[in-house]
């Protein structure tokens, strides 16, 4: 039954024609479209709480649709909580909260010259090789690869890593003791969880080290305890003074100083762990990029029962891949596996299979070798340029990795240099900002991972202009 | 200078020829190969702590290599901590711990008939569409996509989800308030972390619900508080009795009972949160699979300032993808972002870009529609078969999702049925195992996601044979 346009209007309810901006009249689209239109009007606040809607009969007439469409729509919106239905009366809009406007997206920071240290050149990410690996993985993966699975990670990747880590890093592990993580950060978080569940209250770190990692520790409820480093790596003579029974170290290439841990200290550190029944967490973040000779093997090889070795694809491939791996003492595997289960039910399968493909095919080694060549040229160019433009300032930690440390003249505040550099659109980090001690080392971290060799002279000029005059 | 075979042997050190099984004599391979051979012998325990090695001169002679190769190798192994060098004497093997043998890999469980409820059919994972999406993402992604980025996740995906969630689920969110996670598990873990940091001691759950989720809560240091459900979803009349100010609910399709939350209860729940300044965590895990009519819109739409809406690709694509998303109240975004930063520095980029592609191209909707058709056939076949073979037992929760609940006759212990079914190689779960209360609901969760329609009659027969006789 059609309503006549001449019918007198009930002023207490809005007319259907006034309610909706637009909806789709086509068969099969009508109900859904009408529902979205009314819901949208309520959510946007155009129909406020308590507003009566037209009766289904009235609305059907106004919109020239069948009454069943309207009653279905009202029922659905009532089931969702947007409308309150009343017997023999028109429905009213239920209480629906309004919401603030869109929050702005910050633009990613981009420097004209980027010396930010820990990140590799994402331009070098091997897109084609990665796609080939994904393609092959998608072709051969069993269906169960797409299901929940072993929370330690895909067996294909754990096997490939066990072989790779033994060959390249001297790590002593089998696939059963490897757990795949979302990069180093999650590996550290999992260790913190397990330590905390065991009753630990703190975790020792080298100083200087990376503040973002302290954040992960603190967020898990542990305190960070500091142990200083010098030119030979961790000062093991200070180990007796710390109360923590676990320590995070970077023996192959201390971050950020670049020191390589001296052999006697490696032995002393392992001895400390054995004596205290402690745990060493070895952050082996960039050992693949060693320029002068073979990288020293992982500390883990000296005592696989007390060292957790953590590796990552963030330096060799790209941080966005978010893949890391832990080689665990047998006694820790089950606890870490349960922690991993609780925090995310395991890592994504396909990326793991792709990385396993890269490792098994040798493409990973080839990519690392190519990248090492490129980084070596950038490193050599940087050292050469620094030596000629800033001859008075020592360069340290250049044997490996993606950054060097430039020490500053006495009395120069590295944080002030960072600020001055920023005004010249040069991104650089201060060593003192990475210190846990009151008397921090000072210097600049100069990452060369992201600087093409031909731009380095210009970048060093811009940096040099940010430094105060220094004695020649 | 070559050593003569007639030279008298120093019995206190092993001969070089006895030490190594094999190494590669080719130019460019020699140093590395020799180092790995000695290191391997030490790690395997064949060269024990304190064993003296031959002098570099002697070993060079024995192996017919230059002395420099041996001294370099000894230096490197000393740097790694495997050897102790002594001035003018042969090096000795340092203390190196031995390690237990390989741990066995458990085979994944596979049932002849799999009624395990929450997982979709991984055979349906759209491998080709996913590869195309990855391919396109790899072609068009900016380099910064492979870097550390916004810890909330890729903006491309957050924008696509904001549009999708508004359209399909009535969620009111903008990209700035979405945070990408490793599935529902990590979303829950992040919420727990934030609640705990705010001083919360507990978190309420529906009972019955999923024990794995309680584990995530307990592992984060919170206690689980129970709130019962009935055929109309959460019993909101019990909300006044709980002490928690936050609750996890499944309004669209209660897990595991399958109940759809009644409109009045949706309103009451939102009212409870407003009154107590509380938080509702809406686990919207399988709303895409609704068979009888449109799924009720998300509860979040009623109060975006107090409801966290969590969605996942685990049901629509596959669990192995490990992608989930949270739509957060504005006041929680920064805390959750910081928690995400602390636990894993953000989710993998490429999978996010691929999912954004699938959503934007409409391929995601098409895949869901195809899968819904398949699951609907399986559901209809299951209901039809259960009704004819086990006519006395009520079937519940069939309107949506990937499982139904089969209620059992009075006095029948559902866990005993599960055990009996297991002996027939039928995987099925008991409702009572998901209860937080002393007087659990009893019944069987029958997932049909993984059962091809033509195998269902046989599967139901095997299940029926596991049941005790019941009144006809």
């Amino acid at each position: 039954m059609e309503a006549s346009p001449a019918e007198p209007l009930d002023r207490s309810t809005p007319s259907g024609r006034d309610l909706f901006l637009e909806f789709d009249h086509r068969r099969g689209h009508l109900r859904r479209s009408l529902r979205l239109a009314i819901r949208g009007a309520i959510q946007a606040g155009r129909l406020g709480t308590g507003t009566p809607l037209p009766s289904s009969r009235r609305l059907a007439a106004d919109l020239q649709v069948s009454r069943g469409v309207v009653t279905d729509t009202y029922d659905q919106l009532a089931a969702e909580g947007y409308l309150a239905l009343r017997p023999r009366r028109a429905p009213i809009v239920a209480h629906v909260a309004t919401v603030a406007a869109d929050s702005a997206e910050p633009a990613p920071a981009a420097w004209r010259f980027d010396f930010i240290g820990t990140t590799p050149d994402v331009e070098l990410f091997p897109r084609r090789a990665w796609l080939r690996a994904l393609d092959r993985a998608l072709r051969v993966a069993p269906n169960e690869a797409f299901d929940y699975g072993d929370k330690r990670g895909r067996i294909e990747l754990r096997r490939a890593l066990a072989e790779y880590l033994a060959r390249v890093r001297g790590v002593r592990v089998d696939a059963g003791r490897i757990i795949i993580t979302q990069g180093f950060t999650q590996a550290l978080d999992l260790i913190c969880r397990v330590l905390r569940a065991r009753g630990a209250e703190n975790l020792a770190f080298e100083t200087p080290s990376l503040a973002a990692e302290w954040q992960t520790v603190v967020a898990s409820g542990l305190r960070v305890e500091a142990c200083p480093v010098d030119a030979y790596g961790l000062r093991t003579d200070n180990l007796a003074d710390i109360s923590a029974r676990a320590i995070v170290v970077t023996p192959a290439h201390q971050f950020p100083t670049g020191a390589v841990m001296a052999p006697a200290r490696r032995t002393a550190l392992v001895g400390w762990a054995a004596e205290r029944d402690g745990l060493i967490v070895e952050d082996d973040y960039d050992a693949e990029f060693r320029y002068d000779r073979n990288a020293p093997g992982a500390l883990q090889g000296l005592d696989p029962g007390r060292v957790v070795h953590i590796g990552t694809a963030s330096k060799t491939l790209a941080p966005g891949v978010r893949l890391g791996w832990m080689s665990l003492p047998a006694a820790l595997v089950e606890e870490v596996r349960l922690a991993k289960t609780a925090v995310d039910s395991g890592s994504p399968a396909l990326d793991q299979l792709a990385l396993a493909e890269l490792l098994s095919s040798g493409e990973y080694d080839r990519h690392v070798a190519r990248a090492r060549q490129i980084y070596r040229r950038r490193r050599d160019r940087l050292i050469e340029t620094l030596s000629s433009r800033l001859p008075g300032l020592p360069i340290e930690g250049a044997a490996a990795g993606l950054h060097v440390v430039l020490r500053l003249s006495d009395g120069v505040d590295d944080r002030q240099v960072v600020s001055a550099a920023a005004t010249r659109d040069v991104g650089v980090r201060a060593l003192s900002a990475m210190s846990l001690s009151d008397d921090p080392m000072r210097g600049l971290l100069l990452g060369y991972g992201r600087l093409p060799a031909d731009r380095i002279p210009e970048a060093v000029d811009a940096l040099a202009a940010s430094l105060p005059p220094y004695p020649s």
Side-chain angles (χ1 to χ4, degrees), chain A:
Chain A
M1 174 174 154
E2 291 288 304
S4 145
E7 193 183 357
L9 280 173
D10 172 359
R11 291 279 162 203
S12 69
T13 64
S15 145
R17 291 197 184 85
D18 300 334
L19 280 182
F20 313 112
L21 291 178
E22 54 181 278
F23 68 96
D24 188 339
H25 268 82
R26 285 175 301 158
R27 220 179 124 85
H29 294 262
L30 186 57
R31 277 177 172 76
R32 181 180 147 69
S33 170
L34 180 61
R35 178 164 61 99
L36 295 190
I38 300 181
R39 193 164 73 186
I42 296 173
Q43 291 184 343
R46 284 187 284 121
L47 290 172
T49 303
T51 307
L53 291 193
S55 69
S56 55
R57 188 167 158 173
R58 165 75 184 272
L59 185 60
D62 285 352
L63 303 177
Q64 305 197 309
V65 301
S66 82
R67 190 162 165 202
V69 166
V70 178
T71 52
D72 281 0
T73 301
Y74 281 178
D75 285 349
Q76 174 78 13
L77 287 167
E80 292 176 358
Y82 289 93
L83 294 182
L85 301 183
R86 303 172 297 175
R88 280 181 304 278
R89 296 187 57 192
I92 60 170
V93 174
H95 175 75
V96 174
T98 52
V99 68
D102 200 337
S103 47
E105 289 287 320
W111 299 98
R112 191 161 63 105
F113 300 113
D114 185 351
F115 283 113
I116 303 296
T118 49
T119 46
D121 192 341
V122 284
E123 264 190 65
L124 301 181
F125 180 76
R127 297 189 188 210
R128 268 195 253 183
W130 190 249
L131 184 65
R132 276 197 307 272
L134 285 166
D135 184 5
R136 178 153 168 79
L138 273 163
R139 280 173 209 279
V140 304
N143 282 325
E144 50 95 7
F146 301 100
D147 202 355
Y148 295 106
D150 191 319
K151 302 304 189 284
R152 292 175 296 186
R154 289 298 303 177
I155 182 63
E156 296 91 335
L157 177 57
R158 290 186 286 119
R159 284 202 182 116
L161 282 170
E163 187 278 324
Y164 172 81
L165 292 170
R167 175 168 58 82
V168 172
R169 303 295 302 130
V171 170
R172 297 155 69 187
V173 71
D174 58 71
R177 291 190 289 112
I178 291 180
I179 289 187
I180 307 301
T181 64
Q182 304 303 114
F184 176 79
T185 309
Q186 189 181 51
L188 179 60
D189 181 54
L190 293 174
I191 290 290
C192 288
R193 279 187 169 246
V194 167
L195 290 175
R196 186 123 158 76
R198 284 182 167 202
E201 292 177 350
N202 46 24
L203 175 59
F205 263 80
E206 297 168 324
T207 177
S209 50
L210 206 54
E213 296 178 5
W214 314 335
Q215 281 305 318
T216 294
V217 176
V218 170
S220 79
L222 294 173
R223 277 177 291 109
V224 171
E225 204 174 4
C227 200
V229 305
D230 62 19
Y232 305 99
L234 183 77
R235 296 235 343 234
T236 45
D237 52 333
N238 288 44
L239 283 173
D241 299 335
I242 66 171
S243 67
R245 280 172 55 199
I247 186 167
V248 178
V249 293
T250 48
H253 188 232
Q254 204 276 330
F255 191 89
T257 65
V260 178
M261 194 181 288
R265 295 198 180 173
R266 291 168 69 105
T267 307
L269 178 58
V270 169
W272 167 84
E275 196 179 289
R276 205 177 275 207
D277 194 16
L279 188 71
I280 299 165
V281 179
E282 179 176 25
D283 177 6
D284 201 25
Y285 63 103
D286 69 357
E288 283 86 351
F289 300 124
R290 174 91 186 189
Y291 307 108
D292 56 348
R293 54 185 285 180
N294 283 319
L299 189 72
Q300 189 269 4
L302 296 180
D303 194 351
R306 300 198 189 279
V307 183
V308 179
H309 177 269
I310 303 178
T312 172
S314 293
K315 304 295 177 290
T316 49
L317 294 175
V321 173
R322 307 303 312 129
L323 271 176
W325 40 86
M326 339 170 62
S327 297
L328 289 158
L332 272 178
V333 173
E334 188 55 14
E335 280 160 276
V336 176
R337 189 185 68 80
L338 288 174
K340 173 77 177 162
T341 306
V343 301
D344 69 4
S345 300
S347 285
L350 197 56
D351 294 337
Q352 296 183 60
L353 294 173
L355 181 57
E357 285 286 342
L358 276 201
L359 284 164
S360 310
S361 67
E363 189 60 51
Y364 188 83
D365 289 290
R366 286 190 290 277
H367 171 72
V368 168
R370 278 193 302 267
R372 192 191 294 121
Q373 290 283 4
I374 292 167
Y375 292 137
R376 181 199 289 275
R377 277 198 296 276
R378 294 180 185 182
R379 181 195 77 137
D380 293 349
R381 189 66 175 271
L382 178 63
I383 292 173
E384 180 192 303
T385 315
L386 287 171
S387 304
S388 77
R389 310 275 166 104
L390 296 163
L393 304 181
I395 300 161
E396 296 175 356
L402 299 172
H403 75 277
V404 299
V405 168
L406 184 71
R407 299 303 288 262
L408 300 175
S409 309
D410 286 347
V412 175
D413 183 343
D414 53 3
R415 297 195 199 209
Q416 283 182 1
V417 176
V418 168
S419 302
T423 66
R424 291 171 195 275
D425 213 355
V426 177
V428 60
R429 291 196 285 175
L431 208 56
S432 67
M434 301 177 184
S435 179
L436 287 159
S437 86
D438 297 333
D439 180 26
M441 286 190 194
R442 294 188 189 280
L444 299 177
L445 239 79
L446 300 182
Y448 45 83
R450 308 186 144 214
L451 277 173
D454 57 7
R455 298 198 64 213
I456 284 176
E458 212 189 337
V460 170
D461 282 344
L463 180 70
S466 316
L467 289 172
Y470 60 93
S472 63

